Amino acid sequence: LVTRDYWRATNSVADAGNQITRNAPEINWDYAVIQRLNPQDLTTRLVPFDLGKLVLQGDEQSNLALEPGDVITIFSQNDLAAPLERQSKFVRLEGEFRTAGVYLAEPGETVRHLVERAGGFTPSAYLYGAEFTRESVRIDQQKGMDQMIEKLEEDISRNALAPAGVNPDAVADNRAKLEAQRQLVEKLREIKATGRVVLDLKPNSTAVGDLPEIALEDGDRFAVPYRPSTVEMLGAVYNNNSFLYRREGRVDDYLKRAGGPTRDADTGRMFVIRADGSVLSRQSVKGFWNGGFASLRLMPGDAIVVPERLSHGSFLRGLRDWSQVFSQFALGAAAVRVIQ
């Protein structure tokens, strides 16, 4: 008896990223085989047949006659991968959709077409803040983060072996720096990649047609929130808080509302994490005709990050530009809170 595998949508905290997972691998419906032994010379030959035509379509030509001793083998898509266009792809739509849920994507279907098929968005949808996550991207991001942390740990080990001199104050200062570095690495280990893909949507995007034509993969997740009403201020400021969004509000306006930067702030390396997941640093907008980074207009759901000033050294060389780290691994405001 051949039974098709069922799927479940996981909701527990332990299920990273709220991913869709299988109870068992999907059956490969394109290919099955009969293993048949020749009683005369004891040789074995394989008789393939189309399982999908037999079981799903009731094709009598695929209903091959069996002989005593035959062994039928049915493969899963893990055992013998089916062509990409024939593989089952289950995609999760969450949030402000007219019909949110788990969908079986059609062969070659894109995210735009699937959302159209699901009825589009609700009037409350904030498309600029949508989160599109993909498992294959998450794996690559996590691999890159792990490599970065390994290099940082190597730097710590080298610094620990370096002579600190005979001055007791220098020795104590070096130990304190090494301990702070180890604590930072431990905090970085708590951050996990999400697999978020920046969709490059415009802030005023509202229609399904604004979505890019991205071909869907199994396990993709597309979450569209309602429009938030705040902008977050994080890092080395006197008031880490969420502030009400103001339509004409700029970076400098929110910085003043947060009490300004502390004396430990590295204001030259401030950056903004956009609601769409992209990152804009002070260096990237410096010199623009609109007044530079301080005059950058913010959108609902954006977060301004003011990093602390870091001491020079080989260990911190790769971490001085936090905006590059956050951009490379698509990290959000939650990662800033962990590091703090």
Side-chain angles (χ1 to χ4, degrees):
L1 176 66
V2 179
T3 59
R4 190 158 189 171
D5 300 309
Y6 289 93
W7 290 62
R8 61 184 172 87
T10 59
N11 293 303
S12 66
V13 175
D15 294 315
N18 217 10
Q19 296 292 328
I20 302 165
T21 58
R22 295 185 182 89
N23 283 336
E26 184 77 7
I27 291 174
N28 185 328
W29 293 98
D30 294 333
Y31 180 87
V33 67
I34 300 170
Q35 183 178 336
R36 181 168 292 167
L37 182 67
N38 187 329
Q40 305 299 324
D41 54 12
L42 300 182
T43 58
T44 301
R45 70 186 183 99
L46 301 179
V47 183
F49 64 97
D50 191 317
L51 181 65
K53 287 184 177 180
L54 173 62
V55 178
L56 303 179
Q57 302 176 20
D59 181 19
E60 284 299 320
Q61 292 186 353
S62 300
N63 191 14
L64 305 180
L66 298 177
E67 298 180 3
D70 282 353
V71 177
I72 303 173
T73 302
I74 297 174
F75 299 92
S76 74
Q77 291 185 7
N78 285 353
D79 298 324
L80 191 63
L84 182 61
E85 65 176 13
R86 298 182 186 175
Q87 293 179 13
S88 297
K89 303 181 187 71
F90 285 81
V91 179
R92 188 170 187 141
L93 301 183
E94 295 182 1
E96 299 301 317
F97 295 92
R98 293 196 179 276
T99 314
V102 179
Y103 288 83
L104 174 61
E106 298 171 352
E109 190 168 26
T110 64
V111 62
R112 182 190 298 179
H113 185 269
L114 177 60
V115 173
E116 287 178 345
R117 188 156 61 90
F121 306 111
T122 69
S124 301
Y126 183 48
L127 200 51
Y128 185 61
E131 293 187 14
F132 183 84
T133 57
R134 174 163 287 177
E135 179 64 11
S136 60
V137 174
R138 186 198 66 79
I139 292 172
D140 290 339
Q141 289 175 347
Q142 189 62 52
K143 187 181 298 183
M145 289 181 62
D146 292 341
Q147 291 173 350
M148 180 189 72
I149 292 172
E150 288 176 6
K151 290 180 180 179
L152 294 177
E153 288 181 323
E154 291 174 1
D155 283 345
I156 291 178
S157 299
R158 282 195 294 268
N159 292 341
L161 295 174
V166 295
N167 187 322
D169 292 337
V171 172
D173 184 59
N174 188 58
R175 288 178 178 172
K177 287 182 179 179
L178 288 173
E179 181 59 29
Q181 291 169 1
R182 291 191 179 98
Q183 290 179 5
L184 178 57
V185 167
E186 289 305 312
K187 289 182 178 180
L188 287 172
R189 286 194 179 281
E190 296 178 25
I191 300 172
K192 300 301 179 183
T194 62
R196 185 173 184 177
V197 178
V198 177
L199 299 180
D200 292 324
L201 296 169
K202 295 180 180 180
N204 59 353
S205 297
T206 57
V208 176
D210 294 327
L211 294 174
E213 290 281 23
I214 299 177
L216 293 167
E217 291 185 7
D218 184 36
D220 284 350
R221 173 178 173 268
F222 189 33
V224 178
Y226 60 85
R227 186 182 178 89
S229 58
T230 59
V231 170
E232 199 161 3
M233 176 64 74
L234 299 166
V237 293
Y238 285 100
N239 185 10
N240 275 258
N241 213 330
S242 295
F243 297 90
L244 286 176
Y245 166 74
R246 293 178 179 174
R247 185 170 183 178
E248 298 301 326
R250 315 281 173 164
V251 169
D252 200 42
D253 299 327
Y254 290 99
L255 191 59
K256 290 176 182 177
R257 294 168 69 185
T262 66
R263 66 177 183 177
D264 296 325
D266 189 352
T267 56
R269 298 184 183 275
M270 293 190 297
F271 60 96
V272 170
I273 303 175
R274 290 293 205 183
D276 71 341
S278 61
V279 176
L280 284 177
S281 68
R282 182 165 187 168
Q283 293 89 338
S284 67
V285 297
K286 187 176 181 179
F288 275 19
W289 64 269
N290 61 359
F293 184 79
S295 298
L296 181 67
R297 182 179 169 185
L298 299 180
M299 296 298 299
D302 286 352
I304 305 170
V305 182
V306 183
E308 290 187 4
R309 187 182 297 108
L310 300 177
S311 59
H312 294 277
S314 59
F315 167 79
L316 298 172
R317 189 176 303 150
L319 289 182
R320 288 188 61 78
D321 190 355
W322 282 105
S323 62
Q324 185 176 0
V325 174
F326 275 71
S327 178
Q328 181 179 355
F329 302 121
L331 302 178
V336 179
R337 300 188 198 99
V338 172
I339 294 173
Q340 284 184 297

